[in-house]
């Protein structure tokens, strides 16, 4: 007996051509045919699962326009494999019966076997094969000209898929339409990705998508996305979603209702054909913020925000989709140019999120470490975005003074993160919870002061949210000793170490055993190796400082997690890897971009902004990185970057000259500023800073460090007639002392002998 339905009546032997072309009712109708054997039953059952019933009151064109879902084809493959196993198991039972069958039945079996082979070709046709011969009657109703998520009738499948990919693994494209007013509507199905360069404002109108670990859902406010060439390209990936209580038909009608509200009727036809119950609808808008307007004013960084559509596009992407997104400043890239995370990366993030949600002993303290350019900052941003999917906030302790995340270079800060991060550090400079101005991009000159600042900031952590600690990329020699002291001082629950794939053999793994036995800068290692009784007695008599004992208290060992960094997109030539000094200058200028007014359409230069006037006797001065003669202090301060801080006790001096501080303080810092001029007659400092006036009134200390003003600030002084301030062209390097000063910073020797590991 053979069982089939109207959805499966596709064999020309059982259903005439005229019956297949007319409108079919949605009601299921069974057709019973006397066919012996389980083989014929499995053939028709499989063919039924691949087909879909036609809709009522829908005109049937000559060539059906069907959208094939990759998930359905995968399930069809599994069904085929199950049927193959069923036939193999039942083949031996009917072996003798098949031998005695009449010739007519053998002929019918051959016909069914040929039909089986034709049904297998359906999966191969989903990868892009088309029937080019016209006039041939198709045996299956869903074969013909396919449209892969955004293609138009008459266009080949290869025009929408990157030529480097082939088979079922090829990623499918999305559908985008420009609606005017610098806006575009993007329709995506689950597992589809949009990797791009540029900047845009994204609003999820229906469904849900994931960007850099954070899930953007329907009803959330708009998010700003900056996929700039200094960092890895961002990718928008559609996620499967469902609404309880709604059928697939009702969800599909909701998607169409959203499109009717945002897309004009003339442009709606292409999107309507691609709508499914699992579709996600995005609204992409052109984005121009104060940071973009301010930084693009500098000629050195203008190329970062320019959209190079011809240079960035590679592979074959539909022209209509590229044009719709290019109109808002978005350039589509192949998926292989995005950030591809390794398996260890994904597993580590999932485990940390699970620990944060299920651990009853409090929130975890996660310390991220590794060498230079291994992805520490990228991992921290992805981890914070993943945690913000489940909890309202995450705390972030910045201990990398050279490559900061939320604060200007040379600062160490504790930040409270409440929003996802979709931009490089120079685009999301924000006000910290607590910050100290260290005044240098390395900790080699004053390591003791560096450790004191770490204690000062860590004391502010109240253990009300997970804490992520970012460390420096100095992973050898003195930097490794300081890192060991940090682990002993902060006692993290998890230590995540990122190791480059090429240099993994030369890296030291900071396991709990290694940290306990290795020697740091201020601490000795605990020897847990089995030694002789005489050695144990000798070690018990040896004295250790109170500071070392305090550091070891509470250190019960951490959980070590190693990640192998793999970034094919970053290593690509199209993704320019900026040097660390360029990123520092961008981060510093990003903090001053808050001076750019939103009401002014054109960008403003720093020399055209109005500074604050600060009297000499209202603040104290101190130079952190070197000793300066009091008579030359004003020369060192003029045209310098200063940290605007507050020391306890205030300033008590009535002298006419500048008030100097004898020691380097550890105090709160509200931000940075530029002393653009000094008036000796009126005893005033002219300071340019983005700090609000309410906090600027609390500043009573100016700290000068080794972090300098970017050279582009001096060169970008448009509109100045005559001699440009602080710049000269009449300069000779042949004069004695006219060259660049090379600082010699010898490291101090360790105060105790190196521990034997």
């Amino acid at each position: 007996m053979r069982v089939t339905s109207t959805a499966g009546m596709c064999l020309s032997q059982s259903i005439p051509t005229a019956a297949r072309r007319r409108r079919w009712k949605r009601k299921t109708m069974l057709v019973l045919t006397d066919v012996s054997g389980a083989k014929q039953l499995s053939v028709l059952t499989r063919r039924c699962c691949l087909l879909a019933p036609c809709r009522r009151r829908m005109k049937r064109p000559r060539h059906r326009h069907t959208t094939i879902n990759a998930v359905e084809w995968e399930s069809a493959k599994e069904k085929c494999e199950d049927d193959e196993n069923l036939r193999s198991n039942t083949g031996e039972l009917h072996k003798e019966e098949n031998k005695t069958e009449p010739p007519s039945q053998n002929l019918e079996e051959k016909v069914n076997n040929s039909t089986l082979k034709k049904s297998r070709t359906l999966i191969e046709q989903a990868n892009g094969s088309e029937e080019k011969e016209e006039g041939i009657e198709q045996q299956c109703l869903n074969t013909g000209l396919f449209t892969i998520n955004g293609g138009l009738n008459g266009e080949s499948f290869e025009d929408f898929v990157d030529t480097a990919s082939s088979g079922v693994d090829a990623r499918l494209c999305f559908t985008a339409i420009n609606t005017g007013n610098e806006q575009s509507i993007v329709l995506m199905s689950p597992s589809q990705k949009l990797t791009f360069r540029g900047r845009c404002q994204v609003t999820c109108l229906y469904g849900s998508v994931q960007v850099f670990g954070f899930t953007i859902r329907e009803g959330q406010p708009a998010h700003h996305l900056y996929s700039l060439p200094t960092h890895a390209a961002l990718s928008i990936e559609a996620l499967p979603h469902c609404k309880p209580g709604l059928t697939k038909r009702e969800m599909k009608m909701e998607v169409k209702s959203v499109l009717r509200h945002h897309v004009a009727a003339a442009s709606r036809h292409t999107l309507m054909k691609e709508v499914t119950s699992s579709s996600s609808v995005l609204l992409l808008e052109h984005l121009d913020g104060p940071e973009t307007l301010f930084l693009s004013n500098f000629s050195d960084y203008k190329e970062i925000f320019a959209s190079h559509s011809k240079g960035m596009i590679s592979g074959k992407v539909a022209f209509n989709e590229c044009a719709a997104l290019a109109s808002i400043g978005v350039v589509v890239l192949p998926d292989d140019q995005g950030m591809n995370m390794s398996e260890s990366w994904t597993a580590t993030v999932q485990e940390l999120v699970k620990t944060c949600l299920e651990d009853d002993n409090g929130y975890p303290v996660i310390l991220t470490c590794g060498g230079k350019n291994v992805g520490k900052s990228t991992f921290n941003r992805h981890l914070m975005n993943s945690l913000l999917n489940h909890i309202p906030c995450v705390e972030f302790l910045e201990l990398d003074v050279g490559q900061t995340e939320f604060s200007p270079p040379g600062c160490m800060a504790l930040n409270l993160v409440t929003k996802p991060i979709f931009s490089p550090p120079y685009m999301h400079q924000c006000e910290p919870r607590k910050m100290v101005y260290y005044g240098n991009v390395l900790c080699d000159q004053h390591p003791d002061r560096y450790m004191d600042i770490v204690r000062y900031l860590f004391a502010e952590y109240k253990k009300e949210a997970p804490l992520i600690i970012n460390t420096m990329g100095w992973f050898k020699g003195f930097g490794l000793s300081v890192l060991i002291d940090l682990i002993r001082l902060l006692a993290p629950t998890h230590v995540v170490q990122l190791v480059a794939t090429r240099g993994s053999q030369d890296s030291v793994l900071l396991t709990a055993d290694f940290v306990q036995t290795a020697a740091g800068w201020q601490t000795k290692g605990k020897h847990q190796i089995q030694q002789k009784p005489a050695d144990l007695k000798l070690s018990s008599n040896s004295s250790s400082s109170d500071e070392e004992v305090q550091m070891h208290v509470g250190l019960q060992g951490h959980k070590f997690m190693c990640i192998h960094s793999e970034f094919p997109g970053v290593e690509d030539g199209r993704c320019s890897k900026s040097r660390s000094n360029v990123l520092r200058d961008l981060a510093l200028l990003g903090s001053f971009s808050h001076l750019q007014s939103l009401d002014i359409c054109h960008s403003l230069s720093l020399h055209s902004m109005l500074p604050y006037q600060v009297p000499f006797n209202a603040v104290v001065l101190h130079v952190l990185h070197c000793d300066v003669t009091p008579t030359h202090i004003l020369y060192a301060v003029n045209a310098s970057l200063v940290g605007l801080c507050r020391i306890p006790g205030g300033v008590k001096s009535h002298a006419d000259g500048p008030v100097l501080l004898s020691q380097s303080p550890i105090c709160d810092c509200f931000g940075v500023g530029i002393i653009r001029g000094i008036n000796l007659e009126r005893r005033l400092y002219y300071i340019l800073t983005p700090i609000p006036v309410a906090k600027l009134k609390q500043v009573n200390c100016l700290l000068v460090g080794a972090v300098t003003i970017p050279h582009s600030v001096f060169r970008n002084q448009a509109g100045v007639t005559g001699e440009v301030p602080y710049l000269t062209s009449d300069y000779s390097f042949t004069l004695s002392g006219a060259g660049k000063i090379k600082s010699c910073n010898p490291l101090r020797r360790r105060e105790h002998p190196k521990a034997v590991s």
Side-chain angles (χ1 to χ4, degrees):
M1 178 179 295
R2 183 175 63 188
V3 182
T4 183
S5 63
T6 57
M9 293 190 299
C10 57
L11 295 178
S12 59
Q13 292 85 352
S14 59
I15 301 176
T17 304
R20 283 184 282 126
R21 291 184 176 177
R22 65 189 181 188
R23 301 175 182 176
W24 291 348
K25 295 182 179 180
R26 186 175 297 275
K27 184 177 179 180
T28 304
M29 177 172 57
L30 298 179
V31 178
L32 303 181
T33 306
D34 187 10
V35 178
S36 61
K39 184 181 299 184
Q40 288 78 5
L41 178 62
S42 63
V43 171
L44 294 180
T45 304
R46 180 170 61 256
R47 293 180 64 86
C48 294
C49 72
L50 289 177
L51 302 180
C54 298
R55 296 187 175 221
R56 191 177 182 182
R57 298 179 182 178
M58 181 181 294
K59 295 183 179 181
R60 297 176 53 81
R62 184 171 183 178
H63 298 285
R64 283 195 63 185
H65 190 75
T66 310
T67 300
I68 305 300
N69 194 345
V71 180
E72 297 178 1
W73 291 113
E74 291 293 338
S75 61
K77 279 186 175 182
E78 296 177 0
K79 184 65 178 178
C80 293
E81 294 176 0
D82 296 338
D83 293 335
E84 291 287 346
N85 297 332
L86 178 62
R87 290 196 304 273
S88 61
N89 295 333
T90 59
E92 297 181 357
L93 298 177
H94 300 278
K95 186 175 181 180
E96 297 180 0
E97 183 179 355
N98 291 336
K99 291 182 181 180
T100 59
E101 287 180 354
S104 60
Q105 186 172 353
N106 293 334
L107 180 60
E108 183 180 0
E109 181 179 354
K110 292 181 180 180
V111 174
N112 291 330
N113 289 337
S114 63
T115 305
L116 172 62
K117 294 180 180 179
K118 293 179 181 179
S119 64
R120 290 178 179 175
T121 59
L122 294 177
I123 300 177
E124 299 177 357
Q125 292 176 358
N127 295 331
S129 59
E130 299 181 359
E131 292 293 335
K132 298 183 180 179
E133 299 178 359
E134 298 180 358
I136 301 178
E137 188 67 28
Q138 302 291 335
Q139 292 188 358
C140 187
L141 295 177
N142 68 331
T143 57
L145 189 63
F146 293 105
T147 299
I148 304 299
N149 296 327
L152 304 177
N153 279 332
E155 295 178 344
S156 63
F157 174 80
E158 288 79 4
D159 292 338
F160 298 89
V161 180
D162 189 5
T163 56
S165 303
S166 60
V168 183
D169 295 335
R171 293 201 176 272
L172 309 180
C173 296
F174 51 89
T175 305
I177 288 183
N178 188 8
T179 59
N181 297 326
E182 296 183 335
Q183 295 180 349
S184 294
I185 294 293
V186 178
L187 183 67
M188 304 179 69
S189 296
S191 74
Q192 292 181 349
K193 274 188 178 183
L194 167 58
T195 305
F196 69 96
R197 283 288 186 205
R199 57 189 186 275
C200 62
Q201 180 175 284
V202 176
T203 305
C204 186
L205 303 178
Y206 192 84
S208 60
V209 295
Q210 189 179 65
V211 182
F212 205 19
F214 184 79
T215 302
I216 302 177
R217 295 183 175 87
E218 176 185 355
Q220 292 183 357
H223 297 275
H224 295 177
L225 272 60
Y226 292 91
S227 182
L228 303 179
T230 55
H231 291 71
L234 295 179
S235 297
I236 304 175
E237 182 177 2
L239 300 177
H241 61 90
C242 62
K243 291 188 176 181
L246 295 181
T247 62
K248 291 184 178 181
R249 179 179 176 83
E250 292 174 345
M251 293 174 63
K252 191 172 182 179
M253 296 303 297
E254 286 187 352
V255 178
K256 291 186 176 182
S257 177
V258 172
L259 295 178
R260 292 189 188 97
H261 183 70
H262 291 86
V263 183
S267 305
R268 199 184 304 155
H269 179 68
T270 305
L271 289 177
M272 289 299 184
K273 294 185 295 184
E274 307 300 331
V275 171
T276 62
S277 60
S278 58
S279 298
S280 298
V281 184
L282 302 179
L283 173 63
L284 273 62
E285 302 176 82
H286 180 70
L287 179 61
D288 265 337
E291 299 89 355
T292 305
L293 194 61
F294 179 78
L295 292 176
S296 60
N297 186 36
F298 297 92
S299 58
D300 297 343
Y301 315 118
K302 187 177 296 184
E303 293 293 327
I304 297 177
F305 302 96
S307 59
H308 304 279
S309 58
K310 294 183 180 180
M312 287 187 176
I313 292 180
S314 65
K316 294 186 177 181
V317 188
F319 173 78
N320 293 333
E321 295 171 357
C322 292
L325 297 180
S327 61
I328 62 174
V330 173
V331 179
V332 181
L333 299 178
D335 292 342
D336 56 357
Q337 294 190 17
M339 189 186 66
N340 299 327
M341 301 173 224
S342 60
E343 295 181 359
S344 58
W345 179 300
T346 306
T348 301
V349 172
Q350 293 177 355
E351 184 176 352
L352 291 175
V353 172
K354 183 179 179 181
T355 302
C356 178
L357 299 178
E358 298 180 356
D359 194 358
D360 298 333
N361 298 327
Y363 290 104
V365 177
I366 306 167
L367 186 141
T368 308
C369 61
K372 296 181 179 179
N373 300 326
V374 294
K376 296 187 300 297
S377 300
T378 305
F379 175 81
N380 290 334
R381 289 191 288 268
H382 185 263
L383 179 59
M384 285 186 286
N385 289 345
S386 301
L387 291 172
L388 290 177
N389 289 324
H390 310 279
I391 57 178
C393 61
V394 179
E395 295 202 58
F396 184 81
L397 181 58
E398 181 62 78
L399 302 183
D400 188 357
V401 291
Q403 299 295 331
T404 55
E405 186 68 35
F406 302 101
S407 54
C411 296
M412 303 169 63
L414 179 65
N415 297 271
L416 185 65
V417 184
T418 57
K419 296 181 180 180
I421 307 168
F422 303 125
S423 58
Y426 53 87
M427 299 301 296
H428 53 253
Q429 296 288 305
C430 60
E431 181 180 353
R433 179 177 171 185
K434 199 176 192 65
M435 184 170 66
V436 178
Y437 188 68
Y438 181 72
N440 209 330
V441 296
L442 291 175
C443 65
D444 54 349
Q445 286 192 356
H446 305 284
D448 295 334
R449 184 171 182 267
Y450 178 84
M451 297 300 297
D452 293 340
I453 295 176
V454 173
R455 296 186 183 90
Y456 181 76
L457 294 175
F458 188 69
E460 189 67 18
Y461 175 58
K462 304 303 180 183
K463 299 181 180 181
E464 298 176 353
L467 177 63
I468 300 177
I469 305 173
N470 184 34
T471 59
M472 297 179 296
W474 193 2
F475 207 72
K476 294 182 179 180
F478 177 75
L480 181 60
S481 302
V482 174
L483 182 58
I484 292 174
D485 285 345
L486 289 177
I487 297 176
R488 290 173 178 168
L489 173 63
L490 304 177
T493 58
H494 298 77
V495 173
V496 180
Q497 182 177 350
L498 284 85
V499 180
T501 305
R502 297 179 180 178
S504 58
Q505 298 179 357
D506 299 334
S507 301
V508 177
L509 300 181
L510 297 180
T511 60
D513 295 337
F514 177 81
V515 173
Q516 290 179 0
T517 57
W521 167 252
Q522 295 179 346
T523 61
K524 296 180 181 179
K526 281 188 175 181
H527 300 281
Q528 296 182 348
I529 304 176
Q530 295 182 358
Q531 298 177 351
K532 297 180 180 181
D535 296 338
L536 294 175
K537 183 177 180 180
L538 180 62
S539 60
S540 61
N541 294 332
S542 60
S543 60
S544 58
S545 62
D546 297 337
E547 184 180 10
E548 294 175 359
V549 175
Q550 184 180 2
M551 276 191 171
H552 284 295
V553 172
L555 182 60
Q556 302 296 333
H558 57 267
K559 184 173 182 179
F560 177 74
M561 312 176 79
C562 185
I563 296 178
H564 294 278
S565 300
E566 298 176 2
F567 299 102
V570 176
E571 295 177 357
D572 198 309
R574 296 180 181 87
C575 185
S576 59
K577 296 173 63 176
S578 300
R579 295 182 298 178
S580 58
N581 59 337
V582 176
L583 296 178
R584 279 194 294 268
D585 292 346
L586 284 170
L588 189 59
L589 293 176
S591 62
F592 283 96
S593 63
H594 299 288
L595 294 172
Q596 177 72 38
S597 177
L598 296 176
D599 301 332
I600 303 177
C601 298
H602 62 278
S603 59
L604 299 176
S605 56
L606 289 176
H607 71 278
S608 62
M609 298 179 181
L610 191 65
Y612 294 99
Q613 297 181 3
V614 181
F616 279 3
N617 55 5
V619 293
V620 295
L621 292 178
H622 183 73
V623 180
L624 297 172
H625 62 288
C626 60
D627 297 330
V628 181
T629 307
T631 56
H632 294 166
I633 190 68
L634 294 181
Y635 293 102
V637 170
N638 192 22
S640 298
L641 186 74
V642 294
L644 305 178
C645 308
R646 179 186 61 186
I647 59 176
V651 180
K652 299 179 181 179
S653 177
H654 301 282
D656 294 336
V659 183
L660 305 181
L661 198 63
S662 58
Q663 296 180 354
S664 300
I666 298 177
C667 55
D668 294 342
C669 179
F670 300 104
V672 294
I674 296 177
I675 298 183
R676 56 169 298 177
I678 299 176
N679 193 332
L680 295 178
E681 296 180 358
R682 301 178 57 184
R683 305 293 179 181
L684 295 175
Y685 302 111
Y686 295 102
I687 301 178
L688 193 64
T689 178
I691 300 177
V693 180
K695 289 194 172 183
L696 194 60
K697 293 180 179 180
Q698 306 179 28
V699 175
N700 57 9
C701 178
L702 303 180
L703 299 180
V704 183
V707 183
T708 59
I709 302 175
H711 294 172
S712 56
V713 175
F714 296 104
R715 294 194 297 264
N716 187 36
Q717 301 186 52
V720 178
T721 59
E723 185 177 356
V724 180
Y726 307 108
L727 289 182
T728 179
S729 58
D730 186 11
Y731 192 83
S732 177
F733 286 94
T734 59
L735 299 178
S736 177
K740 182 180 179 180
I741 300 177
K742 297 181 180 180
S743 59
C744 181
N745 303 319
L747 298 177
R748 293 185 301 172
R749 293 184 177 273
R750 195 186 306 271
E751 298 178 357
H752 53 80
K754 186 176 181 180
V756 180
S757 57

